C-alpha cells in the first residue's frame, strides 16, 4: 500500500508541472507561438537558393551548348568532305525509285542492254515496298530494312563471292578493319555485292536533319556524348564503306513490292516477329524491277512481274517449323522474280524491237500474264 501511494506521488515540483500543463494547453489553443526563425529569414533563404540554382543551370546549359557546338562542328566537317560526293548520288537514286513508283507505263529493255554485265559488275541494290517509295523521307526510312534476299541470290552472279563464314571473328563493326563489315556470322568480311544501299544511308544518317534535331534536343552531357560517339563511329566505320560503294558502283537495281490484289498479306503462316516487308514477300504479289546505269543515268530495264512460286520439299525430312517455312517461301518467291527478269530480257532480245520507240524492246509484263 505504501509503494502504490509513493508511485502515484507527483514527480517534480508541482508549480513547474502546472506551468508545463498550462503551456501545452495554450499551444493547442493557439495562444502562443513556437519559437523559430522569422519569416523574413526564410524568404531570403529561398531567394538565395533560387539564385544559386539559376546560376548553376546557366553554367551547365552553357557547357551543354558548347558541347553540342563541338559535335556540330565535327558534323559539318564530315558534311563538307562527304556531302558533295554522296548527297548527289543519294538524290539520283531516290529520283530513280520515285520514277519506278510512278504510274506504270509498260515494261521495256533498253536497246543493246546486256544484263550479264549488270549481273557481274559492281552495283547497288535496294528493295522496299511500293507504299514506302512516295517521298524521300519514306525511302530513307525503308532503306534501313533492305537486305539481300532470294532476288540477289538468283539474279546477280555470285561465283566470286567469298565464303561469309571464313575470316577474322568479330562482335561488332568496330572489331573489323577498314572496308570490312561484321556480318551475321560474326566474321569480318567485305561488303557483299551488290552493295546494299542501306550501307550508304547508314553513313548519311548523321548528316540528316533528324539527327541534328535530336542532338539539339539532348538535355544532358551524357546524351550529347552518345551522339558524339555515334558520329565518330560512323566516320571511322561507315563512311569508308560508303565511299567505296560510290567509287565501285556501276549499276543500280531497285525492287518495289506491290500489295497483292486481295489486300494486305495475311500474317497467318509466318513468324511472330515477321516484318511487313517479310510478310509481303512471303505471298505471291506483283513487283516492279528497275535497273539504271549510274554513269549515264539511263534506264536499262523496267519490268513488272509476279513474285510467286511453289516450294517443293524433297528428301525424307521435311521442315515444318513456321519461321523456316516462311523464309523458304520468301526466298523462292524472290528467286522466281529474278528468273522472270532474266527470262523477259532473253525474250526481248529474240523479239524485234518496237519500231515506234526506237530506243529499246518491249518486254511482256509477267504480272499481266
Amino acid at each position: 500500500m505504501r509503494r502504490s501511494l509513493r508511485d502515484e506521488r507527483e514527480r517534480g515540483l508541482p508549480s513547474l508541472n502546472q506551468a508545463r500543463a498550462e503551456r501545452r494547453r495554450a499551444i493547442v489553443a493557439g495562444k502562443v507561438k513556437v519559437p523559430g526563425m522569422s519569416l523574413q529569414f526564410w524568404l531570403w533563404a529561398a531567394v538565395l537558393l533560387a539564385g544559386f540554382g539559376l546560376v548553376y543551370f546557366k553554367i551547365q546549359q552553357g557547357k551543354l551548348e558548347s558541347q553540342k557546338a563541338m559535335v556540330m562542328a565535327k558534323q559539318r566537317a564530315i558534311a563538307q568532305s562527304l556531302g558533295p560526293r554522296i548527297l548527289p548520288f543519294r538524290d539520283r537514286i531516290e529520283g530513280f525509285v520515285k520514277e519506278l513508283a510512278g504510274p506504270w507505263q509498260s515494261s521495256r529493255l533498253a536497246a543493246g542492254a546486256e544484263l550479264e554485265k549488270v549481273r557481274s559488275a559492281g552495283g547497288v541494290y535496294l528493295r522496299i515496298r511500293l507504299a514506302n517509295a512516295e517521298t524521300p523521307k519514306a525511302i530513307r526510312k525503308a532503306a534501313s530494312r533492305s537486305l539481300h534476299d532470294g532476288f540477289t541470290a538468283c539474279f546477280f552472279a555470285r561465283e566470286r563471292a567469298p565464303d561469309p563464314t571464313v575470316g577474322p571473328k568479330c562482335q561488332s563493326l568496330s572489331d573489323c578493319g577498314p572496308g570490312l563489315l561484321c556480318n551475321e556470322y560474326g566474321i569480318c568480311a567485305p561488303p557483299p555485292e551488290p552493295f546494299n544501299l542501306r550501307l550508304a544511308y547508314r553513313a548519311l544518317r548523321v548528316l540528316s536533319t533528324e539527327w541534328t534535331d535530336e542532338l539539339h534536343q539532348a538535355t544532358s552531357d551524357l546524351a550529347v556524348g552518345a551522339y558524339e560517339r555515334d558520329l565518330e563511329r560512323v566516320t571511322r566505320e561507315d563512311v569508308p564503306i560508303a565511299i567505296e560503294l560510290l567509287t565501285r558502283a556501276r549499276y543500280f537495281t531497285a525492287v518495289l513490292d506491290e500489295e497483292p490484289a486481295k489486300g494486305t498479306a495475311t500474317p497467318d503462316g509466318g513468324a511472330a516477329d515477321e516484318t511487313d516487308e517479310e510478310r509481303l514477300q512471303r505471298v505471291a504479289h506483283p513487283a516492279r524491277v528497275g535497273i539504271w546505269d549510274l554513269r549515264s543515268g539511263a534506264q536499262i530495264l523496267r519490268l513488272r512481274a509476279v513474285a510467286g512460286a511453289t516450294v517443293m520439299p524433297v528428301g525424307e525430312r521435311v521442315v515444318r517449323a513456321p519461321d523456316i517455312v516462311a523464309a523458304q517461301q520468301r526466298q523462292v518467291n524472290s528467286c522466281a522474280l529474278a528468273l522472270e527478269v532474266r527470262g523477259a530480257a532473253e525474250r526481248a532480245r529474240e523479239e524485234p524491237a518496237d519500231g515506234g520507240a526506237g530506243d529499246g524492246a518491249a518486254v511482256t509484263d509477267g504480272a499481266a500474264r
Side-chain angles (χ1 to χ4, degrees):
M1 185 69 177
R2 292 179 180 177
R3 177 178 296 179
S4 61
L5 291 176
R6 189 164 48 251
D7 293 340
E8 294 176 357
R9 186 180 302 168
E10 186 179 11
R11 295 182 179 181
L13 296 176
S15 58
L16 293 177
N17 292 337
Q18 183 179 1
R20 291 192 186 98
E22 291 177 355
R23 183 173 182 83
R24 282 195 292 270
R25 287 194 294 271
I27 292 174
V28 172
K31 295 180 180 180
V32 298
K33 296 181 179 179
V34 179
M37 298 298 180
S38 64
L39 179 61
Q40 185 178 11
F41 170 81
W42 291 114
L43 289 176
W44 277 108
V47 171
L48 291 176
L49 288 175
F52 175 79
L54 181 61
V55 172
Y56 179 79
F57 173 79
K58 290 292 185 182
I59 293 175
Q60 292 300 116
Q61 193 69 17
K63 292 181 179 179
L64 186 63
E65 292 300 325
S66 177
Q67 189 177 3
K68 291 180 182 180
M70 292 177 60
V71 177
M72 288 299 301
K74 294 181 180 180
Q75 187 207 41
R76 286 192 295 271
I78 297 175
Q80 291 177 357
S81 60
L82 182 63
R85 302 179 60 184
I86 198 170
L87 291 180
F89 175 84
R90 180 200 65 183
D91 294 341
R92 291 181 66 200
I93 291 294
E94 292 173 354
F96 294 152
V97 174
K98 289 192 292 183
E99 175 188 348
L100 186 63
W104 186 253
Q105 300 174 2
S106 63
S107 297
R108 64 175 296 276
L109 178 69
E114 298 182 12
L115 290 189
E116 291 302 322
K117 291 184 178 180
V118 178
R119 296 178 58 231
S120 59
V124 291
Y125 175 72
L126 175 66
R127 184 171 187 174
I128 60 176
R129 298 168 63 194
L130 178 65
N132 295 330
E134 296 179 353
T135 64
K137 184 177 181 180
I139 294 173
R140 295 164 194 172
K141 184 177 181 179
S144 63
R145 301 186 296 272
S146 175
L147 299 171
H148 280 192
D149 49 33
F151 184 90
T152 57
C154 295
F155 181 75
F156 294 96
R158 308 293 290 274
E159 292 81 2
R160 297 176 299 168
D163 188 347
T165 62
V166 177
K169 298 289 186 179
C170 62
Q171 294 182 349
S172 64
L173 189 59
S174 59
D175 298 332
C176 301
L180 300 179
L181 293 176
C182 186
N183 61 22
E184 61 271 20
Y185 300 101
I187 299 296
C188 291
E193 294 186 13
F195 295 114
N196 201 315
L197 194 60
R198 71 189 184 100
L199 299 176
Y201 275 109
R202 191 167 64 183
L204 283 169
R205 178 179 53 84
V206 297
L207 303 182
S208 65
T209 56
E210 291 81 3
W211 192 91
T212 304
D213 294 340
E214 292 176 4
L215 173 62
H216 285 308
Q217 294 173 4
T219 57
S220 67
D221 56 345
L222 293 178
V224 176
Y227 282 97
E228 184 175 13
R229 290 190 296 272
D230 183 33
L231 184 64
E232 292 176 352
R233 182 191 61 80
V234 170
T235 306
R236 183 179 62 255
E237 300 169 0
D238 294 339
V239 168
I241 296 176
I243 294 176
E244 181 182 5
L245 182 152
L246 290 178
T247 56
R248 293 180 55 184
R250 172 68 188 274
Y251 300 100
F252 169 57
T253 303
V255 177
L256 303 183
D257 294 301
E258 301 182 20
E259 294 291 334
K262 296 181 180 180
T264 305
T266 172
D268 297 339
D273 57 347
E274 193 175 37
T275 65
D276 292 338
E277 288 81 5
E278 292 173 338
R279 188 176 300 118
L280 178 57
Q281 294 172 19
R282 179 166 50 83
V283 300
H285 64 280
R288 304 180 182 188
V289 181
I291 302 176
W292 290 264
D293 187 327
L294 291 175
R295 297 181 182 177
S296 65
Q299 188 178 58
I300 297 175
L301 176 129
R302 179 178 66 240
L303 175 71
R304 184 171 181 265
V306 171
T310 302
V311 179
M312 300 295 293
V314 295
E316 297 180 356
R317 295 184 179 181
V318 178
V319 177
R320 301 188 183 277
D323 55 340
I324 298 179
V325 172
Q328 290 176 340
Q329 188 62 58
R330 288 195 299 269
Q331 295 302 313
V332 297
N333 287 347
S334 299
C335 188
L337 178 64
L339 296 179
E340 178 64 27
V341 174
R342 295 171 60 177
E346 293 296 332
R347 292 191 298 271
R349 289 197 192 94
E350 296 174 358
E351 297 174 358
D354 185 358
D359 60 347
V363 180
T364 303
D365 274 355
R369 291 187 289 108

